[in-house]
Amino acid sequence: MNATNSIPAYFKYWGKAEKAEEGKLTRYHLLPYHCLDVAAVGHVLLSKDDALRHKFIAITGLEEHVCHRWLVLFLALHDIGKFSVTFQNLWPDLLERLQSTASSKPYSTRHDSLGNLFLRFSFENERIGFSGISCSEWQDVLMAVVRSFTGHHGVPPQMRGPNGMPLNFSSFFEKEDSLAAALYVQDAGAMLCSEMESLALFSPCELEEPMKKASWLMAGFVVLCDWIGSNGTWFPFCEEPMTLEEYWENRAIPQAEKAILETGINTGRQIVELSGFSGLFPRISSPTPLQKFVEQCPLGSYQQLFILEDVTGSGKTEAALLLGGRLMAAGCAKGFFMALPTMATSNAMFSRLAEISSPDELPVYLRFFDKKTEPSIVLAHGARHLSETFMASISGSAAGSAEEESASAQCSAWLADNRKKALLADVGVGTLDQVLLAVLPARFQALRLLGLSGHVLIVDEVHAYDPYMNKLLQNLLSFHAAFGGSAILLSATLPTHVRCDFIAAFARGCNDHQELNPKIMGYPLATAYSREDGMQEIPVKASPLRQCAVSVRLVVEEN
């Protein structure tokens, strides 16, 4: 590609830029390369993480290779809006250097919304296309995906400008920009997704709803890939034009492999099958009846909900951890997140899981995983920086032997630098609000939803929340179940109608709309639900240490 006339027009556009040393020109990373960096991250994640890949396949109904290529292709288009002259003019010197032109158009609409505008306009007018499908006929399906992938900055793409008027395509894309972007779509599509013929097995109407459902996870997936692919340490700037294939094979893929390894993201850590209660808690010689129940109750390999009700001090936390470990070993999850009411209880739980109780014992959280792996554990709440145990767990932060002895937990610095990433860790502990943000209109909520989908959600003290929080938790359970997640709720006591609401919410997520009415009023009580087995209510004996006799004497007062 030494001859100037052989260089595709899309190499005249920058994607990332920064000032170099004083007196030197701006350093930049070509736009096609950044797009391929992000796509390579997604490709490596999908290749290594069987659970994530199968989750997308199950929701969309697509064949494995088609689903994989489809996701990677749209990752490569996530920043297509940066072809707009308004974005390129953010660095006028680069616009002049790369395209020998100048512009006075201001950058009034973000590039993520511009990407959505470009693809919608191009599909409507058949300016771009994919082999095997008509983009105008498949527009509703395609746009359900496009909105997720272009809205990678934590909010959906906007359809209107700052003045409230619909975005006008010609106001943001010059003819040259549109042609260059279309050429990039053509070349990237030919390299990453050369055939779509198998989509012809479906009608657009059949795929529209599955794609809308999958779009929640897609939105989190593209955020994760973009955050990793935008890291200049893993993906250094490249200004030299080369074929897309050459960059993909020689740079993007090898750099993505290294990046995924260093982030600490679980892409297939081996879960061990716990040898009963003593295998997880060797210091507890006499499990309580509730703990014996979770040790022996039958489990499936599908999403399940458990509600455990017992008195304070009956070992519900240990029972939930064992049950969570069994669900992980059954293939229902690859980690867990424990949500608690307060920062203080979260700190205490993090210490219980992360610290070594004796030199010859592993921390509790490590006992769920194969000894050869290095699982991560994250504390998630607003004041976690005040937890010495957590701060010592961040890789590279523990400088001395005293700190190493105080906490054996390990956490990638990349995972720990932002609470939004907490649910991506193998084991998470935090306040309930951190997971509820996954179903609230908050920025990057989809990233939390993606992380949670691969975990067992354990919520302690569910009786402590008001009706507003309970409703949010019900919505979370519905989303979690819809994406294949399992959950365990713990309570000292729970009103029957509240228990029924939690079960119904989880059942809705499993697309089970039958009426479920709890009938047993026993206490302590274990309730289990799955779409396959329905609802089961199992009375559990009270712990002997918590049993007591209360004498009642009737006193009759005579007036």
Side-chain angles (χ1 to χ4, degrees), residues 66-103:
V66 175
C67 184
H68 187 132
R69 292 177 181 177
W70 179 279
L71 293 171
V72 173
L73 171 61
F74 277 95
L75 282 173
L77 305 182
H78 80 287
D79 262 350
I80 198 78
K82 289 185 175 180
F83 278 97
S84 167
V85 66
T86 62
F87 178 85
Q88 294 296 310
N89 197 39
L90 284 173
W91 292 93
D93 57 331
L94 272 183
L95 182 62
E96 171 66 28
R97 178 177 175 181
L98 292 172
Q99 300 184 31
S100 301
T101 188
S103 174

Side-chain angles (χ1 to χ4, degrees), residues 168-182:
N168 187 317
F169 183 84
S170 60
S171 299
F172 301 97
F173 292 91
E174 304 287 359
K175 181 180 179 180
E176 294 77 9
D177 304 331
S178 180
L179 291 174

Side-chain angles (χ1 to χ4, degrees), residues 191-488:
M191 180 182 73
L192 299 174
C193 198
S194 58
E195 53 84 20
M196 284 286 190
E197 282 78 6
S198 58
L199 287 179
L201 299 174
F202 301 89
S203 69
C205 293
E206 288 179 297
L207 279 183
E208 185 175 351
E209 284 305 315
M211 284 299 176
K212 286 181 178 179
K213 180 179 178 179
S215 69
W216 291 93
L217 292 186
M218 291 177 183
F221 182 59
V222 65
V223 169
L224 173 60
C225 296
D226 186 51
W227 283 7
I228 298 174
S230 298
N231 188 303
T233 302
W234 293 320
F235 297 91
F237 285 5
C238 180
E239 305 173 7
E240 175 192 353
M242 65 187 78
T243 65
L244 298 184
E245 290 82 358
E246 183 180 354
Y247 185 85
W248 177 259
E249 294 292 339
N250 298 335
R251 299 204 180 190
I253 293 296
Q255 290 166 173
E257 295 270 3
K258 178 183 178 184
I260 296 301
L261 181 65
E262 294 184 3
T263 58
I265 293 176
N266 184 347
T267 56
R269 281 191 247 283
Q270 186 174 349
I271 308 295
V272 301
E273 190 166 345
L274 299 169
S275 56
F277 201 80
S278 60
L280 188 58
F281 300 104
R283 291 175 174 270
I284 300 178
S285 56
S286 301
T288 66
L290 180 65
Q291 293 168 349
K292 291 178 181 178
F293 166 78
V294 301
E295 184 179 33
Q296 301 168 359
C297 66
L299 298 178
S301 57
Y302 34 78
Q303 64 262 49
Q304 296 154 87
L305 170 69
F306 288 87
I307 302 177
L308 307 180
E309 299 174 67
D310 205 345
V311 297
T312 302
S314 59
K316 293 190 295 296
T317 299
E318 290 80 2
L321 289 171
L322 175 62
L323 184 55
R326 291 189 61 205
L327 288 168
M328 290 161 58
C332 298
K334 56 184 181 180
F336 67 87
F337 186 92
M338 178 162 278
L340 298 110
T342 66
M343 295 181 187
T345 52
S346 300
N347 289 346
M349 181 56 62
F350 183 85
S351 296
R352 286 176 64 181
L353 291 174
E355 292 185 340
I356 298 176
S357 54
S358 65
D360 58 339
E361 290 184 5
L362 289 173
V364 173
Y365 87 100
L366 287 180
R367 300 171 196 170
F368 295 95
F369 302 91
D370 185 87
K371 293 181 179 179
K372 297 179 182 179
T373 63
E374 295 183 355
S376 54
I377 181 169
V378 169
L379 178 63
H381 62 65
R384 62 181 186 163
H385 58 284
L386 299 178
S387 168
E388 294 181 3
T389 305
F390 173 67
M391 296 308 294
S393 75
I394 301 174
S395 300
S397 65
S401 59
E403 289 178 332
E404 291 170 1
E405 290 174 1
S406 66
S408 63
Q410 294 296 318
C411 177
S412 161
W414 188 84
L415 281 176
D417 70 359
N418 191 312
R419 290 195 304 277
K420 298 180 183 72
K421 304 173 187 174
L423 296 178
L424 298 170
D426 300 292
V427 175
V429 180
T431 48
L432 180 62
D433 63 289
Q434 295 300 315
V435 286
L436 291 182
L437 284 170
V439 291
L440 287 171
R443 287 194 71 193
F444 301 108
Q445 57 79 216
L447 181 64
R448 297 176 189 266
L449 203 59
L450 174 74
L452 184 63
S453 69
H455 289 58
V456 177
L457 171 63
I458 303 174
V459 184
D460 199 4
E461 308 285 352
V462 292
H463 59 273
Y465 303 112
D466 59 27
Y468 173 75
M469 295 284 280
N470 279 340
K471 186 61 178 177
L472 292 179
L473 181 54
Q474 291 166 29
N475 291 340
L476 178 64
L477 290 172
S478 294
F479 270 87
H480 192 46
F483 298 131
S486 295
I488 304 170

